[in-house]
């Protein structure tokens, strides 16, 4: 039995960028990493890679994105769901 790669979402990177730009009128990548409470583990280059679709963030990071954006994980993971027009901030 072979292993098939997990299907990646097509819109995740776009949604992550949209969240960063919507929170408090727009956060820098450094500000976002602090707001997510991940500044001890990650730096801004990870935000860049996540928003560029180069790599996907770990599940626990996506949960934190959902928390600060006020959305459930389904909205981030499902390409058929859009972020709400108004996010916190």
């Amino acid at each position: 039995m072979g292993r098939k790669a997990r299907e990646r979402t097509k819109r995740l990177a776009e949604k992550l960028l949209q969240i960063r730009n919507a929170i408090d009128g727009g956060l820098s990548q450094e500000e976002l990493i602090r707001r997510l409470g991940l500044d001890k583990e990650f730096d801004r280059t990870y935000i860049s890679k996540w928003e560029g679709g180069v790599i996907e963030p770990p599940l626990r990071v996506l949960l934190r994105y959902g928390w600060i954006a006020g959305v459930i994980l389904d909205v981030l993971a499902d390409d058929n769901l859009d972020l709400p027009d108004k996010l916190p901030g």
Side-chain angles (χ1 to χ4, degrees):
M1 214 186 231
R3 295 192 81 175
K4 186 177 174 184
R6 178 178 59 84
E7 184 178 336
R8 294 178 63 162
T9 62
K10 293 172 180 54
R11 297 184 55 214
L12 177 61
E14 157 197 334
K15 291 177 183 181
L16 299 181
L17 177 59
Q18 186 179 349
I19 289 169
R20 181 168 65 85
N21 288 331
I23 301 296
D24 293 339
L27 298 175
S28 70
Q29 292 173 341
E30 288 288 342
E31 291 168 328
L32 178 62
I33 210 80
R34 281 192 299 274
R35 182 72 65 92
L36 292 169
L38 300 169
D39 51 319
K40 302 279 190 262
E41 304 167 64
F42 299 100
D43 62 34
R44 66 161 196 79
T45 62
Y46 281 90
I47 299 289
S48 179
K49 290 176 184 176
W50 297 335
E51 291 176 354
V54 176
I55 59 173
E56 288 185 348
L59 179 59
R60 65 186 178 80
V61 172
L62 290 176
L63 290 169
R64 290 182 188 211
Y65 264 97
W67 182 77
I68 68 167
V71 298
I72 60 173
L73 185 58
D74 296 26
V75 174
L76 296 176
D78 189 337
D79 286 331
N80 295 315
L81 298 175
D82 295 322
L83 289 170
D85 290 332
K86 184 152 171 74
L87 293 175

